[in-house]
Each structure stands twice: as structure tokens, then as C-alpha cells.
DNA sequence: CCACGGAATGATAGCGTTGTCATTCCGCGC
DNA sequence: GCGCGGAATGACAACGCTATCATTCCGTGG
């Protein structure tokens, strides 16, 4: 049972604190780190002036700037952004939530995001949510990351738990969802339609004369939507899927190779294999090579992502190109604009995609 | 004459104005976010009790905990770690500095680091320094990251600029350098000897009967030290390098393929190619396949890193295995121990390496 | 000469949390 | 009955910085 809180006579708060002279009973919590106040004292200016020299030097007289910077260099002062962020309500931190960075199609996007934000003096905290199929820790991560008070949030995908979505909404922070599209973004979305990719791939392969189309997919939600688009396209052409093999995300060469082997061992008669990633497709090429399956004459292979290596496999892999760097840059720019309170751009940006035909189709 | 009438509202104003009564001349800086004090008021306890419920619930009566947590859930309170970190001098942040995450051998290490730290309620801020050859921004990053007051720093490599090293030293923060060895770490080092790897690779290939050994290397400092070890080994066996091709980091399949093509076009007579990464080796395999060079009968290929795909290439790639996950986990554990002030473990940990023989050698 | 305005700088009061005692309550042993 | 110790809770003052005025100092035009 709950104890009664002791009622102590609250003494009225003094209007003004007595001169700070010495703490009566508290040990100082101070550390040995150089603070802005130290710099100010040495330079013979007020703390606020040092703050201005660091953050907005154009407001301070050039001589003062030089003088203060000399002291900063000499003392090795490093600003404390925890304190600065607390006071200014600007953490200069952007949170990025991605499923994974291992073997990942997202790293280029993150790289561009980071680079663009770095120019604007922002840093990125990366959160890896894991794939939903493995028990996503997205909710816990969203909480953890919001407690850092990021000035903006970047998140892969548009399907978040009710709770995550609510938290992001109530945080009153610019949010950009990427690598997908939706008509009802939390805030902004920059991506492309996975269904359209699937459909375009289906139309493309059927157009090239392939009729028995199998697939190798990761059990990732976006990948499965591409497959859905593919199946619908095939259906429109009066075709069905000539076998499929599902692999746990993330995508690896090994996974693709094993999945394709399984497909073959089940006796598939496919004349084309569509993969949910270039890594899978690369695995298919490897297994085909081992088994002496001629590509593309006996079997066409199509990847997704158009990663750097796609052009250099043997034979060169056809794939679906996504502007991965563009997504990162656009996301950074959109977030920065929102942070600065600039007029809002479009809520939804479709960056599209492009089928790159090489030697495997 | 810079008289400018405000055409647009210059600043977004506070959402709500607290009826704080005695505001003599200052506008309130309050926001609409729920604070610990709000929770305390609603729950009828003191702020410090709420703090304890969040951070050390074992100190608080179970009923009080339940009561406060109910209020937290209802109000959607999210702790402000900027404030918490400022007050407690614990940011619960670990900085990780890596050259890159693109096509990178480091991602598994980072993944393990992040996972292990996550368990202990720490988060990782990632800084990408770029490779030295591209004009490393390590110094700027070190400053930027230290201003976040991380509780620990993880950094790839042991050769830092004088300035970076000094800053890290004076920050009085646990530091672990990884992926390399040195006898004079900033604080701790967990890695392996690149020279030894090179030497072991040389001995291994010579032992297998190869005599004309060429190489494909990234112009990364650690890679070049492996090469140095290789050359020394060859010299001990009375051999020289049968050609080399240097490629800009980071390692990609394309880079390896082109480098090997260049080597061939220069008319190399190598019977083995040592690569500074599996990605390069994969590229060599691709080019060899195109040119009909039988592997390993006419040419042996050896990678480095033993990435996931190495076992699945055709033919399966021989490589040098590094315990990438182990380095990340060990680093996290060492840093956590140091943060908690536990007795210091060894300053230098050599995780070693292992040559994995597959089909290409 | 003087009000006026802009440039430069400063004083004050927080920002939201936690470290450091301090206090209250209660059970227990003598 | 009383002192003691531990459990539970609280008051207060930082932590290091910046937002928000306020002030000082000049040069200028009327």
C-alpha cells in the first residue's frame, strides 16, 4: 500500500537567489571540462558573446570573434550540445530508422542523407529496426530516439504500428517516410510505388516473350508488394506465377542461390526469374552457372535495386534502378526546409524507377 | 537602410502562452511537450520520484511505480535525454567513427556494437569519416561528435591525426580503436595485425606452390599494410610481386574487376591474385570468367574479410576470416565496462584471423 | 544640439532533468 | 518508551547553454 507522502512545510521560493558565493551544503557537480563560461572569462567577454562567436559569428565584431576564437583554440573548448540543445530546443540531430544496414539497399540513401545534413551542421543517429518478420523493434526504437529530441525523423517505409505513428505525430517533428508511397503520410513521403515496379517488371518480361515467370522474394513487406504487382500484371496477360521461393530478409547472395536451387529441385520449368533484390539475382546467376543453365537463353534473371555490382556480374544483370542517392538527398532537403520553417514542398514525391536492361533478360 | 517590415511571420510563436502570472518581461519559453514535472503533478508525486520510476524503479514502492507509469502512458510522456544527459553527465550515447558503410566490411561490426549497446540502453551515433585518400573529415567529425558528449567512442583504425588523438584523449572518455593493433592505443584496441595477415597469406600461397603472385588493393591504409606484410613474406621466399593494381577505396566488385582487367592487359603472368577485399576478389572472378581463365588451375584468387557471399561465389572464394561480429561485441563490452568503472580489461586484444580455403586457391 | 537608429554586447532567467543530501515513517530490539 | 536503521520520498540546486529583452555607444540628419 502506498505511503502517505510526508507533508513538509514548503518554504516560499525566494524572489531572488542570494549571491551564489558558496553552496551551503552541496558538493559541486562541476567537472574539469572547459565550458563556455570559462572561455568567456578568459576572453574578457560575456558568455553570450562566446555563444554568438560559435553559432552566429556574423553578429559579433570581427576583432571580438578573432579574440574569442583564439581562446577557444587555446583551451580546447568543445561546446556541449546537450546543454545547447536543451536551451535552444534544437538538437541538430536527425534520426534515421532503417530495417538494416547489412547487405542493404539503403546504405546509399543513408550516405546521401548524412552528407547533405552534415553540410547543414546536422548529425544522424541511426536506428536499426530489424525486419518485421524478425520481430521489429521499431516501437522501442521510436521511443528511444524521440527522447533524443531529434529535429527531424527519417524512416524507411510507410507502414508503422499504430503506436509508432501516434508517437511520431505527437512529437511535432518533421518526418519523412521514404522508399515507398502513400496518400496519407505522417508528414511527407519520398519514394515510389512497389506495385508499379512489380507490374512494370511483369509487362516488361511478358513483352520480351517470357511466359513462365518464377520469383525469388524476401519476406519483406515492400518486396511482397512488388510481387503482388507482378502477379497482377501476369494475370492481366493471362499468366500465373511459375513457382516462387520465399527467403527471409535481409537479402543475401546465399539466400538467392539457395532459393533458386530449391526452385530447381522442385522441378520448375520457368523461363524467367524475378528477384526482389540484386543480391538474390546474383545468387541465382551463381547457381545457374554451377548447373550450366544458360542465361538468358534458357533463363532470364531480373534483379531489383541496380546496385553498383549489377553492371559487372557475368552476365551483366538486368535490374530496376531506384535513385537511392536522390531519395536521401531529397529527404534531407525536405527535412531541412521544414526545420527552417520554409514553405512546405509537396507532401508526396514519387521518384519513380527505371528498368535497366542488360544481359540477363 | 535595412529597414524591413516583416512580410512573413519571422518566427513561429509558442503554441500556448502559459498563464504564468508574474512574467515581468520575459516571454515564456515553455513548449507543449509533456515534461517530467507534468507527470509528477498529475501523479501527485515529486518530479524526482518520476525520474526514479523511469530510471531506477527498484528504488520506488511498487504501487507508486504502477501509478506513475499509468500517468506516463496516458500522457505519452517521452523523457528528454538532452536534459537528463546534461544533469547526469551521462548521454547514453556512443559515437562510432567508421570510414564508410557502403560496401563495407564494417557493417557487421557496427551491427554487433549497436545490438550489444542497445541491450544496455545505449545508442550509437554513426560518423562516416571517408577514406584518408579522399580527404578524411575525421577531425571535423571528432569535434562534432564530442560535442554530443558521448559516454564512449568507437573508432576504426589506430592512425589518427595528432589533433584527433589529442581531442579524444582530453575528452576523458573511454575509447576503443578497432580493426587494427598498436602497442600505444589511445585507450583500448581490439583488432588484428594487418602485417601478419599479409605475411600469412604470402606463406600460404607460396606453400601451395604459387610463385607469381600479383595483387589488387584499395588505397586504404590498413589494406596497404597487409600488402606490405605480403611483400615481406614473398621476399623471404625469394619472390617479388608479379604486378599490382591499386584501386580507390571503398572496395567494389567493379573496382576489382577493372583492376584485374588492367593487370591482364598489362600482360601479367601471375598464377595467383591476392585482393584486399572479397568484393575485389569477386570482381576478379567475374573478369576471369569472361576471359575464360580457369580458377584455380590457371589462377588462384584470395579475398579478405570472408563476407557472407564468399562461400557462395562460383568457384567458392578462399578468404581471410575476421571475427567481425566479435570485434563489435567485444568493443561494446569493453566500453560498457569502462563506463561503469569496472576493473579495466586488457588494453590490447588481438582477435586474430583465419585463412579459409575454398575453391579458388 | 539632440532625438534616433543600428551595431555590439550584456544581464537574467530559464530549458528539463538528476545528484546530493534531508526528511519522514515504520518496524524492531532492548 | 526509545533509539536505530532502512525504505520511500522529497527539496534544492545545479548541469552548460541560449532566448529574450535591455543597454551602451556612436554616427547622423534635422
Amino acid at each position: 500500500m502506498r505511503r502517505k507522502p510526508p507533508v513538509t512545510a514548503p518554504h516560499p521560493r525566494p524572489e531572488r537567489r542570494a549571491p551564489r558565493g558558496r553552496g551551503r551544503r552541496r558538493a559541486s557537480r562541476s567537472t574539469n571540462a572547459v565550458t563556455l563560461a570559462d572561455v568567456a572569462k578568459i576572453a574578457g567577454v560575456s558568455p553570450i558573446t562566446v555563444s554568438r562567436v560559435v553559432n552566429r559569428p556574423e553578429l559579433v565584431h570581427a576583432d571580438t570573434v578573432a579574440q574569442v576564437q583564439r581562446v577557444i583554440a587555446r583551451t580546447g573548448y568543445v561546446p556541449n550540445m546537450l546543454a545547447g540543445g536543451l536551451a535552444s530546443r534544437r538538437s541538430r540531430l536527425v534520426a534515421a530508422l532503417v530495417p538494416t544496414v547489412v547487405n542493404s539497399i539503403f546504405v546509399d540513401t543513408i550516405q546521401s542523407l548524412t552528407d547533405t545534413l552534415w553540410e547543414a551542421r546536422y548529425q544522424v543517429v541511426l536506428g536499426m529496426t530489424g525486419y518485421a518478420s524478425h520481430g521489429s523493434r521499431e516501437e522501442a526504437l521510436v521511443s528511444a530516439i524521440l527522447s533524443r529530441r531529434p529535429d527531424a525523423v527519417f524512416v524507411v517505409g510507410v507502414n508503422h504500428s499504430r503506436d509508432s505513428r501516434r508517437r511520431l505525430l505527437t512529437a511535432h517533428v518533421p518526418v519523412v517516410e521514404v522508399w515507398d508511397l502513400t496518400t496519407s503520410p505522417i508528414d511527407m513521403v519520398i519514394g515510389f510505388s512497389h506495385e508499379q515496379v512489380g507490374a512494370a517488371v511483369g509487362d516488361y518480361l511478358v513483352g520480351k516473350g517470357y511466359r513462365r515467370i518464377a520469383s525469388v522474394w524476401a519476406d519483406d513487406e515492400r518486396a511482397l508488394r512488388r510481387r503482388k504487382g507482378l502477379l497482377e500484371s501476369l494475370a492481366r496477360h493471362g499468366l500465373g506465377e511459375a513457382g516462387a521461393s520465399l527467403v527471409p530478409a535481409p537479402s543475401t547472395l546465399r539466400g538467392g542461390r539457395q532459393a533458386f536451387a530449391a526452385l530447381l529441385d522442385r522441378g520448375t520449368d520457368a523461363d524467367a526469374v524475378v528477384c526482389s533484390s540484386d543480391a538474390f539475382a546474383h545468387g541465382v546467376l551463381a547457381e545457374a552457372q554451377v548447373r550450366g543453365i544458360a542465361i538468358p537463353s534458357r533463363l532470364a534473371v531480373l534483379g531489383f535495386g541496380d546496385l553498383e555490382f549489377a553492371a559487372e556480374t557475368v552476365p551483366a544483370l538486368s535490374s530496376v534502378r531506384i535513385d537511392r542517392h536522390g531519395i536521401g538527398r531529397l529527404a534531407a532537403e525536405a527535412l531541412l526546409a521544414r526545420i527552417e520553417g520554409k514553405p512546405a514542398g509537396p507532401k508526396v514525391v514519387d521518384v519513380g524507377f527505371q528498368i535497366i536492361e542488360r544481359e540477363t533478360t
Side-chain angles (χ1 to χ4, degrees), chain A:
Chain A
M1 116 166 341
R2 193 160 173 278
R3 308 283 186 81
K4 275 259 63 62
V7 186
T8 38
H11 33 228
R13 212 120 146 61
E15 277 311 293
R16 258 177 55 136
R17 284 223 261 85
R20 292 250 250 81
R22 59 230 286 83
R24 282 206 319 294
R25 48 173 220 251
R26 281 172 48 82
S28 165
R29 267 151 83 185
S30 74
T31 55
N32 43 12
V34 181
T35 70
L36 181 142
D38 298 332
V39 173
K41 203 165 296 169
I42 298 174
V45 297
S46 72
I48 195 70
T49 297
V50 178
S51 170
R52 289 197 186 105
V53 168
V54 172
N55 297 304
R56 315 202 39 201
E58 72 277 10
L59 294 181
V60 179
H61 195 280
D63 296 347
T64 314
V65 171
Q67 146 86 347
V68 170
Q69 277 175 340
R70 221 173 300 130
V71 177
I72 289 176
R74 189 150 50 79
T75 55
Y77 168 65
V78 177
N80 183 329
M81 292 185 82
L82 297 180
L86 178 60
S88 67
R89 311 161 152 296
R90 285 269 225 123
S91 60
R92 303 203 82 87
L93 218 47
V94 172
L97 301 176
V98 300
T100 179
V101 290
V102 176
N103 283 306
S104 171
I105 202 166
F106 304 120
V107 290
D108 289 328
T109 303
I110 296 169
Q111 180 81 55
S112 285
L113 178 83
T114 306
D115 288 347
T116 309
L117 289 173
W118 170 260
E119 307 285 299
R121 297 211 298 151
Y122 279 81
Q123 276 168 61
V124 173
V125 225
L126 198 59
M128 284 163 280
T129 57
Y131 278 100
S133 47
H134 300 180
S136 168
R137 49 185 184 193
E138 187 179 273
E139 286 197 13
L141 251 173
V142 167
S143 297
I145 239 141
L146 286 181
S147 71
R148 303 278 174 195
R149 294 296 186 271
D151 292 336
V153 175
F154 166 104
V155 49
V156 168
V158 296
N159 286 315
H160 314 288
S161 73
R162 184 171 208 73
D163 188 67
S164 296
R165 197 182 160 91
R166 188 175 51 69
R167 276 185 198 277
L168 287 171
L169 275 168
T170 58
H172 297 296
V173 150
V175 175
V176 62
E177 297 164 277
V178 300
W179 212 258
D180 212 334
L181 283 184
T182 175
T183 51
S184 55
I186 295 178
D187 184 2
M188 300 178 286
V189 61
I190 299 174
F192 57 94
S193 161
H194 292 266
E195 287 83 354
Q196 276 180 25
V197 168
V201 162
D203 293 350
Y204 164 73
L205 289 175
V206 172
K208 297 241 352 171
Y210 300 103
R211 288 294 175 273
R212 298 184 308 283
I213 297 171
S215 66
V216 170
W217 295 92
D219 64 347
D220 158 55
E221 187 246 328
R222 279 173 293 282
L224 293 176
R225 268 190 284 130
R226 292 198 292 279
R227 179 167 174 230
K228 183 162 158 280
L230 170 67
L231 295 184
E232 287 167 1
S233 159
L234 294 183
R236 274 196 303 279
H237 293 288
L239 299 172
E241 195 179 33
S245 194
L246 209 68
V247 194
S251 300
T252 62
L253 191 153
R254 165 177 303 175
R257 190 168 166 182
Q258 292 177 342
F260 180 53
L263 218 49
L264 291 174
D265 293 345
R266 267 184 262 142
T268 182
D269 64 342
D271 60 4
V273 181
V274 178
C275 300
S276 70
S277 73
D278 283 353
F280 283 170
H282 204 171
V284 170
L285 293 185
E287 189 64 21
Q289 185 184 344
V290 168
R291 305 215 186 190
I293 299 175
I295 290 177
S297 56
R298 206 175 117 203
L299 184 80
V301 179
L302 187 62
F304 174 81
D306 191 29
L307 299 192
E308 170 273 340
F309 67 77
E312 309 291 331
T313 58
V314 181
L317 181 65
S318 297
S319 190
V320 178
R321 177 176 296 169
I322 306 297
D323 185 0
R324 305 192 299 282
H325 284 286
I327 290 177
R329 191 174 35 73
L330 287 174
E333 287 165 358
L335 291 175
L336 286 172
R338 289 291 312 279
I339 292 173
E340 320 274 318
K342 298 227 190 82
K347 288 267 165 204
V348 179
V349 177
D350 186 345
V351 298
F353 58 88
Q354 200 185 346
I355 295 178
I356 306 293
E357 179 170 305
R358 295 201 180 91
E359 300 165 7
T360 61
T361 50

